[in-house]
Amino acid sequence: MRRKIVAANWKMNKTVSEALEFVDELKSSIRETEEAELVICPPFTALYPVSRAIEGTCLKLGAQDVYYQEKGAFTGEISPLMLEDLNCAYAIVGHSERRGYFKETDIEVNKKLRALLDHGIRPIVCVGETLEQREAGQTEELVTRQVEIAFDGVGQNDVTSVVIAYEPIWAIGTGRSATGEDANRVIGLIRRTLGKIYSDEIAKNVRIQYGGSVTPDNIAEFSRQPEIDGALVGGASLKASSFLAIARG
Ligand code: 13P
């Protein structure tokens, strides 16, 4: 059985005090045993305080990105070793905003993913197509390629440590989510791709989330799909009540 995983990607939002306010509110509402695994991905500046604030709770910490080198002259970057030091359980890699604004390539995503695994941090690797690619009928091909390159060199023992987030770019921050059925279809394809690379048995155990304009109002549509194992949430994760409603939805 795959445990549902719901992650809050705050993107470039929240100061330390705002982050701590969120965590306080969330802590007062969560049960020790939430059905879904809950992950909070604050900006780098809030990782340490949030890490301290969630100690002893069921909440997990995630970073929004990482560099693939361990240390050295890479001004402005953050290494997997540094994230490990802060008890980061997860780190997002290959978000479409990184791929788009910062020109991150599939090869770099693969390097980051493997560097995280080397440090015992679970990658949440994002894949997804633009509207143009969707309309040109390229979704399947594009997403398959992103998955194949992301997992290049990842041994079969590590595969189930990786979470995949299918985030169609046209659905991010637009209020226009994919339909549950459509997301389920693409996620099924991602699972079959993993099945071909590894085995169906392994693919069956990999968690694959949907992301893109998920809200408390539409989460049920995704939760009832057999292939979808939770959500990666942007805008609607900025409020503790709304994040928790999604996590329980
Ligand atoms: P929104 O939920 O704001 O559409 O963002 C989705 C996302 O990019 C999560 O990583």
Side-chain angles (χ1 to χ4, degrees):
M1 259 304 271
R2 303 186 298 262
R3 186 177 179 202
K4 187 164 99 166
I5 172 166
V6 178
N9 175 11
W10 286 351
K11 308 190 178 184
M12 199 173 70
N13 291 291
K14 291 195 192 293
T15 60
V16 169
S17 60
E18 288 166 345
L20 292 176
E21 221 172 278
F22 175 108
V23 172
D24 271 351
E25 196 184 329
L26 191 61
K27 280 200 314 195
S28 68
S29 324
I30 50 170
R31 299 182 278 260
E32 234 170 79
T33 50
E34 289 290 334
E35 190 195 320
E37 186 173 16
L38 304 186
V39 184
I40 302 174
C41 306
F44 286 128
T45 46
L47 280 176
Y48 182 63
V50 169
S51 172
R52 298 292 304 268
I54 64 175
E55 258 172 44
T57 73
C58 64
L59 301 169
K60 305 266 175 62
L61 186 69
Q64 296 176 16
D65 190 26
V66 68
Y67 193 55
Y68 50 82
Q69 299 281 0
E70 201 157 278
K71 58 182 169 183
F74 303 101
T75 302
E77 294 298 320
I78 302 286
S79 82
L81 190 67
M82 295 165 179
L83 297 183
E84 189 185 358
D85 194 35
L86 299 185
N87 292 323
C88 268
Y90 289 89
I92 298 170
V93 288
H95 192 280
S96 59
E97 287 149 17
R98 304 270 350 144
R99 294 180 192 256
Y101 298 132
F102 305 101
K103 305 289 170 254
E104 224 171 87
T105 64
D106 285 328
I107 306 282
E108 283 164 329
V109 172
N110 171 257
K111 286 184 181 169
K112 290 180 174 193
L113 186 149
R114 288 193 293 165
L116 288 170
L117 289 172
D118 286 344
H119 286 271
I121 300 168
R122 294 169 184 262
I124 299 177
V125 59
C126 302
V127 297
E129 80 287 0
T130 62
L131 187 58
E132 217 179 12
Q133 289 162 332
R134 163 158 291 238
E135 286 172 349
Q138 295 167 347
T139 302
E140 284 71 14
E141 187 193 328
L142 188 271
V143 169
T144 300
R145 193 175 67 233
Q146 287 177 327
V147 170
E148 283 170 352
I149 302 177
F151 281 83
D152 188 34
V154 175
Q156 56 177 22
N157 292 341
D158 280 331
V159 183
T160 53
S161 299
V162 181
V163 175
I164 300 176
Y166 169 56
E167 297 207 313
I169 296 170
W170 47 271
I172 296 177
T174 58
R176 178 182 166 196
S177 62
T179 63
E181 272 161 29
D182 196 46
N184 191 65
R185 183 181 60 79
V186 180
I187 289 176
L189 168 97
I190 293 172
R191 204 177 295 291
R192 284 195 298 282
T193 303
L194 290 175
K196 280 185 203 144
I197 306 173
Y198 299 98
S199 70
D200 289 344
E201 194 53 35
I202 289 175
K204 201 173 75 190
N205 290 315
V206 175
R207 294 181 297 172
I208 311 181
Q209 305 169 299
Y210 166 74
S213 295
V214 172
T215 65
D217 292 333
N218 65 17
I219 184 64
E221 177 170 351
F222 301 105
S223 302
R224 63 170 169 260
Q225 304 294 335
E227 296 286 0
I228 305 182
D229 306 313
L232 181 57
V233 190
S237 75
L238 293 170
K239 271 197 177 152
S241 56
S242 139
F243 176 60
L244 195 56
I246 293 171
R248 290 176 178 168

